[in-house]
Amino acid sequence: MLRFKNHFRSNYSSYHVVDYDMTTGKVLKRGTAQGASDESAWSRGQGWGLYGYTMMYRFTKNKRYLNQAKNIAKFIINHPNMPADQVPYWDFNAPNIPDTYRDASAAAVIASGLLELGQYATKSERKLYVSEAKRMIISLSSDAYCAELGENGGFLLMHSTGALPLKSEVDVPLSYADYYYLEALMRYKNWYL
């Protein structure tokens, strides 16, 4: 499948954007708009890949999608630049780590994706996915990321990063961060408690 071949590197990190020739289908360029560089692993993009391939498996039962999701999960969980609190830097290869922005929205998407993936995993894989997701949820629920009632413009989560290279939505609340955070909380409560 071209989606695997052209959009993912051998370590299962993904490009943000792949431009194709409309006539031949040939790849013209691989790159990023929101990541640190064309060859970096933009954290929310990795989360979208994990979440997306897991959902594709849910609806198709195509094992290739499940295997892709598991490999993306492995890349994220084992990444040496994942902070101890499991809330990723805005890009796994960002310059100035650890003195750079975090992305609570990436953690929320990843946590929700891992919990969904746990539904289709072996017992040992499920234990790992749920454990990692729970650590992310606990961090997101802490004072470091979860706003006081009535603060943060009414948003739940602080410290998301939309598009740092474009100087857009840097260290702010984002609606989809709250959405996936709430989804992760519901999935954890409904499936794993």
Side-chain angles (χ1 to χ4, degrees):
M1 273 188 178
L2 291 178
R3 288 181 293 277
F4 298 147
K5 178 181 173 186
N6 295 330
H7 289 258
F8 286 85
R9 300 175 188 97
S10 61
N11 67 358
Y12 294 96
S13 67
S14 68
Y15 293 97
H16 180 193
V17 178
V18 179
D19 290 331
Y20 292 92
D21 182 291
M22 296 291 286
T23 306
T24 66
K26 179 183 174 189
V27 173
L28 299 174
K29 181 180 186 241
R30 293 176 180 93
T32 189
Q34 293 172 264
S37 72
D38 288 345
E39 293 299 321
S40 71
W42 172 51
S43 63
R44 193 168 59 253
Q46 308 319 299
W48 292 138
L50 167 67
Y51 191 96
Y53 277 97
T54 302
M55 297 305 286
M56 289 165 59
Y57 176 73
R58 178 210 269 186
F59 291 112
T60 68
K61 300 303 183 223
N62 183 327
K63 293 280 191 189
R64 290 186 69 190
Y65 296 146
L66 179 61
N67 291 334
Q68 186 72 6
K70 288 180 179 183
N71 284 315
I72 297 167
K74 190 182 302 180
F75 170 83
I76 293 169
I77 291 168
N78 296 319
H79 200 283
N81 288 341
M82 178 64 89
D85 70 0
Q86 299 301 102
V87 177
Y89 298 102
W90 67 277
D91 190 298
F92 283 106
N93 307 104
N96 303 322
I97 288 175
D99 299 319
T100 191
Y101 296 99
R102 300 293 192 89
D103 188 0
S105 71
V109 171
I110 292 166
S112 191
L114 287 171
L115 293 171
E116 176 80 23
L117 184 57
Q119 296 291 294
Y120 316 114
T122 66
K123 189 174 182 178
S124 62
E125 289 170 333
R126 180 180 303 117
K127 184 177 178 180
L128 174 64
Y129 300 153
V130 173
S131 172
E132 294 298 314
K134 182 178 178 183
R135 290 174 60 199
M136 290 176 188
I137 290 169
I138 289 169
S139 290
L140 292 174
S141 300
S142 73
D143 291 343
Y145 297 99
C146 195
E148 292 287 328
L149 187 62
E151 299 291 323
N152 202 38
F155 290 88
L156 299 174
L157 294 180
M158 305 178 288
H159 309 304
S160 290
T161 303
L164 185 61
L166 304 174
K167 297 178 176 50
S168 174
E169 299 176 324
V170 178
D171 197 25
V172 297
L174 295 171
S175 58
Y176 47 87
D178 284 3
Y179 175 89
Y180 289 100
Y181 172 63
L182 290 172
E183 184 179 72
L185 289 170
M186 289 184 64
R187 285 178 171 175
Y188 184 77
K189 179 184 178 222
N190 293 338
W191 296 343
Y192 299 106
L193 282 184

